[in-house]
Amino acid sequence: MSRYPIAAAIAATAIFLAFTGTARAEEPVNTGYFGDVAIKGYDPVAYFTENKAVEGSPEFTYRWLGATWQFASAEHRDQFMKEPTRYAPQYGGYCADGVSFGTVTTNIDPKAWRIIEDKLYLSYDPGAAEGLVKNPNKVVDSRKHWSEVEQTLLTEKASINWTKPSP
């Protein structure tokens, strides 16, 4: 029996849901080192509709998966609200190149992105983003490694929450 039954339950749920592709409250979202704004405040819908990285506005936000997502317009926010998994970056906005190696790279550059097979991938720099296109095995590898990377993120989150003193 695990010393951390809650962490074990979260891990089991994460593994099950990784195969179903269902978004859930425990899914990790990259909010950087500080705060709770996803993908550094960039509008995830704009990558698809405007084919470029566009900064979102605190005026147009939506809470999803425990993070605040910002949008350039109310229209983009509403599109995201209807189909968040269509527009949200893969791997919770963590660097797809890092995930392809089975590691976590928290620091991403929202201007370093690619849409591959109608999915948004973010990277830590433009070279890494271009590498996803030039080497399709990186996308395949990132898909293979995501469940273990996600497990690491969830375990770290659970252990942090577990060790916080009760109020």
Side-chain angles (χ1 to χ4, degrees):
M1 174 87 69
S2 170
R3 286 180 45 195
Y4 305 102
I6 294 172
I10 290 172
T13 302
I15 291 167
F16 170 77
L17 291 174
F19 290 105
T20 67
T22 304
R24 61 213 177 272
E26 299 89 16
E27 187 168 321
V29 173
N30 187 355
T31 57
Y33 297 110
F34 306 102
D36 77 340
V37 177
I39 63 173
K40 295 188 175 182
Y42 276 70
D43 180 341
V45 175
Y47 292 103
F48 292 90
T49 61
E50 299 181 33
N51 199 34
K52 64 181 180 178
V54 175
E55 288 186 62
S57 166
E59 183 180 347
F60 308 109
T61 63
Y62 178 61
R63 289 282 303 165
W64 185 62
L65 296 178
T68 300
W69 298 77
Q70 293 184 344
F71 305 90
S73 68
E75 179 184 351
H76 282 191
R77 180 198 57 215
D78 295 347
Q79 284 178 267
F80 186 86
M81 288 171 63
K82 289 178 187 173
E83 297 181 276
T85 58
R86 176 178 178 209
Y87 297 108
Q90 299 302 289
Y91 319 123
Y94 287 91
C95 175
D97 187 64
V99 173
S100 76
F101 293 104
T103 62
V104 175
T105 305
T106 301
N107 197 25
I108 53 108
D109 178 353
K111 295 178 183 175
W113 62 279
R114 292 294 182 274
I115 294 177
I116 301 169
E117 297 177 7
D118 209 32
K119 303 286 183 191
L120 174 60
Y121 295 88
L122 298 174
S123 296
Y124 67 92
D125 73 16
E130 186 60 28
L132 296 172
V133 175
K134 289 182 177 178
N135 184 355
N137 284 334
K138 284 193 170 273
V139 173
V140 171
D141 290 344
S142 66
R143 289 178 185 151
K144 279 193 266 186
H145 288 294
W146 174 239
S147 63
E148 76 185 57
V149 171
E150 181 180 39
Q151 174 64 44
T152 298
L153 292 165
L154 291 172
T155 300
E156 287 175 3
K157 180 180 177 184
S159 68
I160 290 168
N161 291 339
W162 184 263
T163 59
K164 287 185 179 178
S166 298

